[in-house]
């Protein structure tokens, strides 16, 4: 049914960031395009509308924004958390950055973590600004990515996937 095809297409578009994520496969794109045809949607236009609606953060609290996509990881005896907030423009992300930066200290205390990070991901520019809290966090980012801090965060070009692009180098930095 077109309605079901549209829902399935939405899931693939969301999960692959419209085929920009390194987790995307050729099968993902082929399936999404076939489902878009069945649903009668222009996939690029639809994705832009979907991501714009999903990145409307105006009426959400810092807590809602932070916990909409938050995961906890362990590396040896280090427990850390990583949230990801995706938007269609850097302007949207910059508007929430100061509040989220302040909120990170609260998360550290409440969750008993060593470090906490937020990926502020610009979907269409395919880049992430990584903000952080916790004593070891800055050093881990510098070692993992070889970048310097600018304006309270680290710009990571071509990084959009927590699972494939962020966590592996961070785990390696923590273990060395």
């Amino acid at each position: 049914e077109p309605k079901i095809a549209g829902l399935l297409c939405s899931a693939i578009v969301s999960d692959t960031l419209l085929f920009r994520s390194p987790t995307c496969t050729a099968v993902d794109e082929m399936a999404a395009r076939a489902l878009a045809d069945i649903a009668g949607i222009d996939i690029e236009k639809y994705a832009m509308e979907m991501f714009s609606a999903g990145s409307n953060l105006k009426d959400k609290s810092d807590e809602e924004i932070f916990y909409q996509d938050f995961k906890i990881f362990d590396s040896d005896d280090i427990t850390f958390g990583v949230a990801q907030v995706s938007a269609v423009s850097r302007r949207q992300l910059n508007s929430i950055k100061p509040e989220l930066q302040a909120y990170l200290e609260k998360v550290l205390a409440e969750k008993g973590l060593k470090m906490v990070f937020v990926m502020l991901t610009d979907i269409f520019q395919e880049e992430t600004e990584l903000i952080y809290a916790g004593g070891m966090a800055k050093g881990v980012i510098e070692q993992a990515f070889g970048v310097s801090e600018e304006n309270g965060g680290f710009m990571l070009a071509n990084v959009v996937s927590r699972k494939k692009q962020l966590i592996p180098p961070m785990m390696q930095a923590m273990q060395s």
Side-chain angles (χ1 to χ4, degrees):
E1 281 181 47
K3 186 175 183 178
I4 299 299
L7 290 170
L8 292 170
C9 180
S10 298
I12 295 170
V13 166
S14 175
D15 190 54
T16 66
L17 299 176
L18 188 58
F19 321 126
R20 288 171 168 78
S21 174
T23 61
C24 181
T25 67
V27 173
D28 291 329
E29 185 168 357
M30 185 178 64
R33 292 194 184 282
L35 291 163
D37 286 343
I38 294 167
I41 57 176
D42 175 331
I43 198 165
E44 280 78 14
K45 181 180 175 195
Y46 179 73
M48 181 60 139
E49 291 169 358
M50 188 173 84
F51 290 133
S52 293
S55 63
N56 182 358
L57 306 168
K58 288 181 182 175
D59 296 326
K60 293 184 179 176
S61 70
D62 299 338
E63 181 178 27
E64 289 171 317
I65 293 168
F66 182 86
Y67 285 110
Q68 70 185 0
D69 188 2
F70 175 70
K71 293 186 173 134
I72 294 176
F73 300 89
D74 290 298
S75 177
D76 296 328
D77 63 340
I78 301 168
T79 303
F80 65 100
V82 181
Q84 185 168 23
V85 180
S86 299
V88 294
S89 78
R90 178 66 38 208
R91 182 186 54 74
Q92 288 173 303
L93 296 166
N94 288 341
S95 72
I96 61 166
K97 179 181 166 184
E99 290 79 14
L100 283 180
Q101 183 68 61
Y103 190 73
L104 293 180
E105 295 298 332
K106 182 177 181 180
V107 173
L108 271 179
E110 286 179 352
K111 298 288 183 187
L113 302 170
K114 297 272 187 195
M115 299 174 283
V116 66
F117 305 90
V118 177
M119 296 174 70
L120 299 171
T121 302
D122 183 324
I123 297 167
F124 293 113
Q125 293 300 312
E126 296 182 50
E127 67 181 8
T128 290
E129 181 175 11
L130 192 62
I131 59 175
Y132 64 92
M136 301 170 44
K138 182 177 181 181
V140 167
I141 300 166
E142 290 170 339
Q143 186 174 347
F145 297 100
V147 294
S148 298
E149 186 174 7
E150 302 174 22
N151 303 317
F154 291 85
M155 290 305 295
L156 305 176
N158 302 309
V159 173
V160 295
S161 171
R162 176 174 40 207
K163 180 170 87 175
K164 293 261 187 175
Q165 297 173 308
L166 187 82
I167 297 302
M170 289 178 68
M171 291 279 210
Q172 189 172 28
M174 286 179 221
Q175 293 168 359
S176 62

